[in-house]
Amino acid sequence: MIKLKHAVYVLLGTVVFYASCSSKSEEAVAPNIANETITQASLKFTNQANAADTPSCTYTFHLDNNNNVTSVDSTTLKLKANSKYNGVVYMLDQTQSPVFVVSNEIKQRENYHLFFYQPTPIASAPVISNTSPYIPGTPVNPNAAPLNLSVVRTDLDTNNPPLQIGLSTIFTTGAASTGNLRWVLRHQPNAKNGTYAPGSSDLDVNFITIIQ
């Protein structure tokens, strides 16, 4: 299986990409599992008040013949001010034929995957809990105007008690602002407890985000 690890510095942040998912069943999974490739990761949105408003943002990882990352492309997320959006995750492995929809597999193995969404800059330290989509330790820049965006996960896995996943979300925007959205997928086989710490990161990227 393939493991990718790549760091690319972009205008407003550092991109770190790790691909780490399993072909084993969820019931039989072990803490150290084989890896597989995510070559494209997208967030797709629909404005709750206007179904024609469907913004999205995408990270694409370009690979060489040895499946090493050679470059990345990213798009800017643009959202309307003072709006609510329903969001969904869509991930692909384009090294397979036909193209494999990794986000479907994450849904099947939801009990050890957890997404985190961190708008930055923010006006105050994020509140971290078992239901928080925010990332512990994210720095606050008191000298920068905050990105007026809040995120709530809306889906639950089948753990007992159920824990959030983050394949579906609600993004709520405030006044016009610009910043970053850090998006992380944590891979937590036999360790998921609703917090960031267990496991490792399958995906860790930043999107330039404009609320207008």
Side-chain angles (χ1 to χ4, degrees):
M1 305 297 282
I2 300 166
K3 183 174 182 179
L4 303 180
K5 182 176 181 181
H6 184 67
V8 178
Y9 293 92
V10 293
L11 180 61
L12 289 179
T14 302
V15 177
V16 182
F17 168 71
Y18 303 80
S20 176
C21 292
S22 174
S23 59
K24 299 178 182 179
S25 68
E26 186 169 354
E27 294 76 12
V29 71
N32 295 315
I33 62 173
N35 302 323
E36 67 182 10
T37 304
I38 301 168
T39 61
Q40 191 171 85
S42 299
L43 293 169
K44 300 176 181 292
F45 299 93
T46 302
N47 191 321
Q48 291 184 1
N50 178 8
D53 179 20
T54 56
S56 64
C57 55
T58 298
Y59 240 98
T60 302
F61 301 88
H62 301 287
L63 311 180
D64 61 18
N65 291 335
N66 295 316
N67 289 314
N68 297 311
V69 177
T70 58
S71 62
V72 297
D73 292 328
S74 66
T75 60
T76 298
L77 176 59
K78 297 181 179 180
L79 303 172
K80 291 191 183 330
N82 303 308
S83 301
K84 283 193 173 184
Y85 289 88
N86 296 326
V88 294
V89 169
Y90 189 61
M91 292 178 166
L92 301 176
D93 174 4
Q94 297 162 312
T95 69
Q96 298 194 40
S97 182
V99 172
F100 183 68
V101 182
V102 179
S103 42
N104 290 345
E105 183 173 76
I106 292 170
K107 174 59 180 175
Q108 293 169 3
R109 292 157 173 79
E110 59 190 20
N111 283 10
Y112 59 83
H113 284 101
L114 183 58
F115 286 93
F116 286 82
Y117 301 83
Q118 182 60 71
T120 58
I122 49 177
S124 59
V127 176
I128 306 300
S129 69
N130 283 6
T131 58
S132 170
Y134 300 133
I135 299 166
T138 299
V140 177
N141 183 353
N143 299 317
L147 178 65
N148 295 315
L149 174 66
S150 63
V151 183
V152 176
R153 305 186 199 101
T154 58
D155 49 356
L156 297 172
D157 63 22
T158 59
N159 277 301
N160 186 17
L163 299 169
Q164 295 180 355
I165 311 161
L167 282 165
S168 61
T169 57
I170 295 177
F171 276 44
T172 302
T173 63
S177 53
T178 299
N180 259 22
L181 174 69
R182 183 179 173 197
W183 182 31
V184 179
L185 172 58
R186 295 292 285 173
H187 185 76
Q188 303 172 326
N190 299 335
K192 182 177 178 181
N193 63 6
T195 68
Y196 187 91
S200 59
S201 293
D202 289 348
L203 181 80
D204 190 345
V205 298
N206 280 289
F207 291 105
I208 297 170
T209 302
I210 300 173
I211 298 171
Q212 57 191 4

